[in-house]
Amino acid sequence: MSHQAPPRILFIDAYDSFTNNIIALLQARFPSISITTIKIDTPIPNFPLFLKHFAAVVAGPGPGDPRNPSDIGWIGELWKLHPDDAIPVLGICLGFQSLVQHFGGQVAVLPRPRHGIVRKVRSSGRSIFAGVEELASVQYHSLYASMGFVSDSCASHLWSPCAACPALRPLAWDFEGDNLEGEGGESPDGLRACLPRVLMAVEHIALPFFGVQFHAESICSSEDARIVVDRWWDFAVEWNLERRGAFEVGMSGLPTPPWGEVDEFEVELELAAKVVEAEGFRPLKFRKTERGERMPVLDGKRGNRARKASSQISENGMFLGESLFSCGRRRDPSTQFIIESMDIGGLTVPSICQDLGLTDGEIIVLDSELHQRPEVGETSIIGVITPQSLRLEYNVGQSSVRRVSDGVTTAASLEPYGGDIFSYLKAFMKDYKPRAAHTEIPFWGGLMGYINYEACLETIGIRQPADQANEQKPDIRLVFIERSIVLHHPTRKLFIQSINPADHTWVSKTFTNLQFHTRRPSSTSTTTTTNTTTTPVLTPLTTTITLPSPTLYKSHIRSCLRSICAGDSYELCLTAQTSIKTRSTQPSWPLYQRLRTLNPSPFSAYLHFGGLTLLGSSPERFLSWSRPTRKTLLPCNGGGGGGGGLSAQSSKQVIRCQFRPIKGTVKKRHPGDDVSKPAITLAEATKLLATKKERAENLMIVDLIRHDLHGVVGPAQEGGKVWVRKLMGVEEYETVFQLVSVVEGEMVVGEGEEEGVVGGDDDEEGRGEDARGREDTYFPTLNAQKIRQQFAHILEPSHQPSPLSPSTFTSSSFSTSSNSSTSPQNQKAGIDILRASLPPGSMTGAPKLRSCQLLRGIEDSQTRGLYAGVVGYLDVGGAGDWSVVIRSAVRWSSAARPDGGNGSEGGDVCGDEGVMEGEEEGEEERGDVWQIGAGGAVTGLSCVEGEWEEMRAKLGSTLRVFGDGV
């Protein structure tokens, strides 16, 4: 059935990491609109004709220079339109600079970039600034647009067109005098007054073109900045009513595109039917690709390869082979639990592992015992690995997953999952529908392990060459944990559990064993969950340490600053590796015990399996999400979904997620400080972290995370929410103070009465929810194009895409907010948030894609490996929790080190003895090679020496685990 489409805005995305925030703002302010998004380089056969089906255009921000055509693409074409084809446009940041540059202005480099800086802006109080004479808004730019006003121009002349740009009228300025602090005449961003003013907004005197330099969508921008966007849309509506009355009109008198009345899913079914009729076979079902598109899985010739690859796969992607499960058969869909609980008493995480002999074999420990904080340090999890435990291993660039159990390895093709490892993992976890158990336990069983940085890069389209894959060092390795021990620290309860129904004996014996140990008088001496735990004495190690070269690292900092000043990035998270070689192999468990005591953290971790050992003391949660709970959602008016919103009160399954990015660091003590004097206090650290540089670092990542989250949770009209609970709070750790923010979201994952809901009704809103962070958006892609492409030789010409159809464009370059689906095959899960948010923004910078590309070059294409990746779990109940791998040391067995474990090149070598002259190579190889990554965020306010010292401070917190003198 056809329906009238809502008014439609075209958003031109310049590959920015704040795009989703802007679209979320538009949908929050104008809930009846629909947003269609294209990239700056999306192929469009007839751009003027394409634009006739939109009420207005937003030309978004992005990295690059407006003088470079490849950086602005279609944005530059907007200004060239014939006056009869022009429609209302709002250019933001890069879009604004392009507008000014096209109509006679100049673009130049600021004396120092303004990225993540809140500045006061003064306006003319007219046009789209009516009623807004002043505002505070965040700026993200290193270039600025100039209309050619001379420096001593009279203030009254600044609000009129000038000779160089007669077609543009200034609407707002950033006056340096408005942003000075103190008697020294210094700007709050730490700069001496260099430019008396910077242009912030313009309008075309004849055409419906507007531009603003600032970012109204930022979490730190004022409401007045958003009112300017409201005024622009008011203008666009009036302009359309006056100028385009001859068009077929939709809601609010705005044009309705012909294809806006087509149900795209019906088109898919029609196209699939044509394929069926032409080749004489029927689709088995629709499957979901990596980008959320439904594709038919076919019989006949075209389906042979897929059938062969999936012949051993059940409908949800699980293999049926007996060797893959310890029980020797496929699980019942309702996962059963065997569980015993007891008081923790005198037990600790190390004592449990040692008393049960777990440190002698493979094990995964997620440890919060020594740094308990509300929400982030409440539980510790010990995952028990057995020879029968199923391991999933993946290397980037490969088309299959290795499944290893009991010494048997099989390969599972990713083709049925669109070639996407995360779609495979999502299908894998959906096989388990646990019955409600102890809901206070965050982990009942499931996948535990790591996703390294290179696997994270693959989610944004950056891949390592396939021939560089090393199967001995998988980029993703997850173990299906059936047996686990969970310590719930707030209640002092310990849970021994298994999701293997044949594990009654193991659970019972483990319970009895731990009961015996907790009653031993000697065990009480280890009863401590505070930072007063005695640091384990380390057996003296002979080490050779290769530190990052100061010259090379500082050169990399300067390269980052050049890229930032050129407008290619707002922030670059630069890193380097340190290599530690030991003369002989040492047990890793004592090292971990030492690290957890020296540097207690809420996300400490010990991973020892498959040739990998990780000693982790990360303070940073990347992402966590809850199990689904039922929630009653109220109906929403409007909704850019074009009828896809909630029209009546309904019960849905929802999950909540949380990010805790850390950016901004102050060391408690510096080398050479008198240890007899107290370290800096929390109050002193708070003052130090209140600088523009530190806050800008954090703000950029908060806005980046909001962008990632907005793009997956869905709009408010479909139950999606995003908010910022805490903005730039100071938290204390063992050696540093850090600036921490908390970003949260809520996402609908299913109908309220479906199986698998493990909690009751949850109608409580997010605590401390900030309305500024709740602008929501969702961009499911149009789906029929893939069918058209794959079966173009079958379909009749009438089924080929027209020049105006959104199906002309690939899903990676075209999306619309009006084509969402909540069908079962498209139901979302927490792993969708994980995939959409990798790699961690705190380890990349912004915009994410361009920053990661730049960093690969600046860091000489050296792999980061596990450092800057994530460690955590996917729970069978639907929850997940992942931390960022920082403040950690990594070791691979010699079999996984084809280069002999040689770490950083060209650095400083130090140690007890170094590598002695004449030493036999074989003797050196018998030792261990550990890698420690460290780095920091480089911004336009960074100084070279400051960034070098920050990297050394972070490195030192982990490096000292190898000896007091290190």
Side-chain angles (χ1 to χ4, degrees), residues 102-166:
H102 179 82
F103 287 101
Q106 301 294 318
V107 174
V109 178
L110 283 168
R112 181 169 285 189
R114 297 175 178 176
H115 292 140
I117 304 298
V118 181
R119 303 269 298 187
K120 181 179 178 181
V121 173
R122 196 190 311 175
S123 83
S124 63
R126 59 191 298 272
S127 185
I128 62 173
F129 285 83
V132 181
E133 295 186 358
E134 291 183 356
L135 59 88
S137 192
V138 174
Q139 298 180 27
Y140 284 108
H141 62 117
S142 53
L143 307 177
Y144 73 100
S146 169
M147 292 177 58
F149 287 97
V150 296
S151 60
D152 60 349
S153 293
C154 177
S156 61
H157 294 165
L158 296 177
W159 305 108
S160 302
C162 63
C165 297

Side-chain angles (χ1 to χ4, degrees), residues 532-565:
T532 60
T533 304
T534 303
T535 303
V537 177
L538 180 68
T539 302
L541 293 175
T542 301
T543 59
T544 300
I545 301 174
T546 305
L547 298 168
S549 162
T551 301
L552 183 60
Y553 192 80
K554 292 177 183 179
S555 172
H556 290 171
I557 296 171
R558 295 186 185 96
S559 295
C560 290
L561 290 171
R562 284 192 294 270
S563 293
I564 291 169
C565 289

Side-chain angles (χ1 to χ4, degrees), residues 194 587 682 742 760:
C194 297
L682 176 62
V742 179

Side-chain angles (χ1 to χ4, degrees), residues 312-314 316-320 325 330 403 428 431-432:
Q312 298 182 31
I313 303 177
S314 70
N316 54 9
M318 295 297 296
F319 271 68
L320 306 180
F325 297 98
R330 188 180 174 188
R403 301 167 57 99
F428 180 98
D431 190 60
Y432 298 90

Side-chain angles (χ1 to χ4, degrees), residues 627-669:
R627 298 188 180 102
T629 58
R630 279 188 297 271
K631 181 173 183 179
T632 300
L633 301 180
L634 299 177
C636 297
N637 295 324
L646 300 171
S647 58
Q649 180 172 305
S650 60
S651 177
K652 301 287 186 181
Q653 292 184 53
V654 301
I655 62 173
R656 285 196 174 175
C657 63
Q658 181 187 87
F659 295 80
R660 291 179 60 86
I662 291 178
K663 274 296 166 205
T665 304
V666 170
K667 193 172 182 179
K668 288 184 175 180
R669 295 184 186 276

